[in-house]
């Protein structure tokens, strides 16, 4: 029986342990955090939950055992993530971003870099250890692989050969975790930078690990409507100096971006399932108890019953596609660029509609702030917009893979590999030569 969607007994245990943790530890912090008008306070409200998660090894669970991580498979991480997201997707984003910051080391870093930076996260014993993933910019990130050096990523890192240091100038906008708990910086930030001012996005980008304490960087928190419990910042660099040894993926920052947003794709996908599931649970319970002034609970009306049936089916479909994508990432070490993108865009958009459909089931009371539906709606708004955005970065990546001769519609069903190449980048930019 090769196609098997049944959880092992350990996976079921993980699911119910995480559900308990989410309800008992995360929920009280998240309620306080989401209600706070100050975005940094909202993030700080989650610190006790983060420290408890550290005791379970959650923020480093996905990192390789070789460097002290938990070695959790993507499939298992998704099982945990759905439970966290059903309670607070902002908190789950904080945990996920630790991975977005450190997983690229395993693909593009040297052994010494992995030992040093992943080791800091896993072995320092620091219960509030945070790492940030710093790619997005105020002027837009969607065209990061544009052939012009004046488009896409504009945080510039000039090499000072005499001192063997990069000098960073520019700004990042939206990175998560990056300001740290005290707005003096995360323990480390993986920053995608332009190391060659003469080349476009397929040759001019690299990544630098920028450690806490680096002079010349300031942080300002962004206030947002959903995912209020994770921190997003504007990060300004003025002659910030970073040693050469912190460099990775030189000239391949584009591939790093695409692979990283592939690893996170199924996680973002299951995050939307988690929120939709929570909305569905509320709507289903409501439909069984609320009569709408009639003589029978509203589930007994055909219109409501049909809508609930559609909602439930869509949630099941999105969950299994997320699992499939995660399974493929486990098999090919996150080289499933098109499948990751398909899963993330499909689920994020569908689940946003599902949350609204749950509100239609509940009716006007869905917008009463004493019920959780308005919060689910605010959370669901984020899914098509974050994690590389659906309209451009994620779909352009899928498009680029499909346009290649190696792609066939059997690839993912047959679970065959397909190599991701630079020639698959740059679609939809108006000029593909670079
Ligand atoms: C909660 C949250 C957490 C986040 N965490 C992080 C993080 O940890 N690190 C980080 O770096 N960023 C983070 N972001 C930012 C996030 O990754 C964004 O998705 C990313 O900046 C891309 O946004 P965008 O698609 O709107 O791009 P933009 O470049 O802002 O594009 C704006 C619009 O133009 C369209 N567009 C532009 N060019 C094209 C094109 N060539 N083809 C088609 N459409 C195009 C886009 O589709 C979009 O509709 C986070 C955002 C949120 C809300």
């Amino acid at each position: 029986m090769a196609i098997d969607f049944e959880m092992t007994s350990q996976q079921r245990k993980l699911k119910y342990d995480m559900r308990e943790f989410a309800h008992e530890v995360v929920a009280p912090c998240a309620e306080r955090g989401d209600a706070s008008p100050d975005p940094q306070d909202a993030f700080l409200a989650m610190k006790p939950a983060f420290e408890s998660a550290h005791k379970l090894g959650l923020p480093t669970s996905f990192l390789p055992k070789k460097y002290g991580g938990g070695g959790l498979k993507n499939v298992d991480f998704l099982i945990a993530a759905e439970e966290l997201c059903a309670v607070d997707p902002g908190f789950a984003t904080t945990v996920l971003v630790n991975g977005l910051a450190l997983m690229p080391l395993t693909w593009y870093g040297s052994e010494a870099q992995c030992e040093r930076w992943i080791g800091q996260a896993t072995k320092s014993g620091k219960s509030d250890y945070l790492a940030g993933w710093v790619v997005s910019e105020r002027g837009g990130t969607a065209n990061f692989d544009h052939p012009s050096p004046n488009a896409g990523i504009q945080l510039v890192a000039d090499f000072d050969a005499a001192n063997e240091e990069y000098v960073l100038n520019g700004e990042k906008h939206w990175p998560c975790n990056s300001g740290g708990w005290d707005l003096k910086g995360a323990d480390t930030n993986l920053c995608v930078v332009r190391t060659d001012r003469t080349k476009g996005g397929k040759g001019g980008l690299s990544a630098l690990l920028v450690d806490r304490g680096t002079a010349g960087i300031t942080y300002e928190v962004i206030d947002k409507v959903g995912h209020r419990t994770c921190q997003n910042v504007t990060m300004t660099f003025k002659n910030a100096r970073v040693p050469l040894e912190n460099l990775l993926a030189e000239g391949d920052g584009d591939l790093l971006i695409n692979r990283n947003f592939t690893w996170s794709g199924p996680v973002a996908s299951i995050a939307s399932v988690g929120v939709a599931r929570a909305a569905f649970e509320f709507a289903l319970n409501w439909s069984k108890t609320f009569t709408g002034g009639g003589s029978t609970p509203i589930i007994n009306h055909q219109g409501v019953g049909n809508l609930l049936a559609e909602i439930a089916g869509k949630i099941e479909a999105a969950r299994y596609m997320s699992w499939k994508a995660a399974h493929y990432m486990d098999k090919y070490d996150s080289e499933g660029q098109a499948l990751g993108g398909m899963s993330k865009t499909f689920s994020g958009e569908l689940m946003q509609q599902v949350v609204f459909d749950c509100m239609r089931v509940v009716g006007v009371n869905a917008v009463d702030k004493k019920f959780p539906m308005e919060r689910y709606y605010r959370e669901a708004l984020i899914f098509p917009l974050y994690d590389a955005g659906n309209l451009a970065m994620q779909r352009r990546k899928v498009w680029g893979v499909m346009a290649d001769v190696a792609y066939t519609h059997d690839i993912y069903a047959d679970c065959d590999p397909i190599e991701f190449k630079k020639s698959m980048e740059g679609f939809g930019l108006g000029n593909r030569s670079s």
Side-chain angles (χ1 to χ4, degrees):
M1 199 168 76
I3 298 176
D4 183 355
F5 288 91
E6 198 173 338
M7 288 189 201
T8 62
S9 55
Q10 292 95 324
Q11 286 169 329
R12 281 177 69 93
K13 181 170 174 354
L14 175 68
K15 169 177 163 168
Y16 290 103
D17 284 353
M18 274 299 128
R19 185 170 293 182
E20 192 180 325
F21 176 76
H23 284 282
E24 290 190 2
V25 181
V26 178
C29 298
E31 264 169 46
R32 274 200 310 281
D34 180 65
S36 171
D38 180 285
Q40 179 64 4
D41 279 353
F43 177 56
L44 281 175
M46 303 312 295
K47 200 172 175 197
F50 189 86
E51 290 177 334
S52 299
H54 172 84
K55 284 187 196 138
L56 303 176
L58 206 55
T60 54
S61 56
F62 32 73
L63 295 169
K65 275 203 167 133
K66 184 179 174 193
Y67 305 113
L72 207 61
K73 296 275 187 203
N74 286 307
V75 170
D76 295 337
F77 187 52
L78 256 62
I79 291 168
E82 180 180 334
E83 298 309 319
L84 293 179
C85 292
V87 168
D88 184 34
F91 179 72
T93 302
T94 302
V95 173
L96 170 72
V97 169
N98 259 6
L100 279 166
L102 299 171
M103 285 301 288
L105 279 158
T106 68
W107 307 315
Y108 299 99
S110 65
E111 194 61 27
Q113 287 176 323
C114 288
E115 288 282 356
R116 177 170 160 194
W117 276 283
I118 300 180
Q120 274 172 15
T122 58
K123 295 176 189 158
S124 67
K126 207 169 173 288
S127 60
D128 61 355
Y129 179 94
L130 273 185
W133 158 238
V134 185
V135 57
S136 299
E137 299 193 3
R138 198 190 292 270
T141 320
N143 298 293
F144 71 95
D145 46 351
H146 196 283
S148 165
N150 301 318
I153 303 291
Q154 294 300 311
L155 174 63
V156 173
D158 291 313
F159 190 53
D160 171 359
N163 293 300
E164 295 211 320
E165 285 176 334
Y166 282 94
V167 185
L168 276 61
N169 281 291
E171 190 189 71
K172 291 287 186 182
H173 193 61
W174 284 113
C176 237
N177 293 0
S178 303
W181 301 106
D182 57 2
L183 287 179
K184 291 182 180 161
D187 292 277
T188 196
N189 276 307
L190 182 71
C191 301
V192 178
V193 295
R194 184 170 295 280
T195 42
D196 189 336
R197 287 173 182 260
T198 66
K199 288 188 180 156
K202 289 198 210 175
L205 306 182
S206 311
L208 277 171
L209 286 146
V210 180
D211 286 330
R212 182 176 165 87
T214 303
I217 307 175
T218 51
Y219 307 87
E220 196 181 328
V221 185
I222 300 170
D223 197 3
K224 57 193 188 299
V225 292
H227 285 50
R228 287 188 61 78
T229 59
C230 68
Q231 178 204 59
N232 296 84
V233 296
T234 308
M235 202 173 164
T236 307
F237 299 74
K238 284 193 182 142
N239 294 321
R241 291 187 159 263
V242 179
L244 172 63
E245 68 208 39
N246 295 28
L247 180 75
L248 62 149
E250 188 175 11
D252 285 334
D254 51 327
L255 293 177
L256 185 148
I257 289 174
N258 270 326
R259 190 160 174 185
N260 218 14
F261 281 131
T262 294
W263 175 78
S264 61
V267 192
S269 179
I270 205 76
S272 66
V273 171
V275 171
R277 188 197 88 196
F280 173 58
E281 279 173 22
F282 183 86
L284 183 64
N285 188 45
W286 182 277
S287 74
K288 289 178 179 175
T289 50
F290 182 75
T291 63
S295 55
T296 183
I298 60 171
I299 194 168
N300 294 320
H301 298 298
Q302 192 178 13
V304 174
N306 281 351
L307 189 51
L308 284 166
E310 273 179 33
I311 288 169
K314 287 173 181 172
I315 292 172
E316 295 289 329
R319 178 181 293 118
Y320 304 139
M321 185 166 184
S322 309
W323 285 2
K324 161 71 187 178
H327 174 261
Y328 190 89
M329 302 301 153
D330 279 330
K331 189 161 177 180
Y332 295 114
D333 199 10
S334 299
E335 290 279 18
Q337 278 79 351
L339 189 60
M342 284 187 230
S343 168
K344 194 262 167 176
T345 53
F346 171 78
S347 303
E349 286 163 26
L350 192 66
M351 293 303 98
Q352 196 197 346
Q353 290 164 21
V354 158
V355 171
F356 184 62
D357 282 343
C358 291
M359 295 179 87
R360 291 168 65 210
V361 167
V362 170
V364 70
N365 289 299
V367 293
D368 185 335
K369 287 191 84 162
K370 77 169 173 278
F371 298 119
M373 292 305 279
E374 66 85 25
R375 169 141 184 238
Y376 297 140
Y377 192 61
R378 285 189 288 110
E379 304 296 15
L381 279 180
I382 302 294
F383 295 122
L385 307 177
Y386 82 158
D387 195 52
N390 285 6
L391 277 184
M393 289 162 80
Q394 291 285 7
R395 281 205 171 87
R396 289 203 300 105
K397 192 174 61 170
V398 180
W399 175 12
V401 174
M402 286 191 331
D404 195 271
V405 288
Y407 178 84
T408 73
H409 69 272
D410 287 318
I411 288 238
Y412 298 120
D414 291 354
C415 220
D416 286 336
I418 179 164
E419 187 196 348
F420 188 80
K421 298 168 285 194
K422 290 204 184 223
S423 59
M424 295 172 175
E425 296 179 329
F427 279 70
L429 302 178
N431 177 1
R432 289 227 303 118
S433 61
S434 65

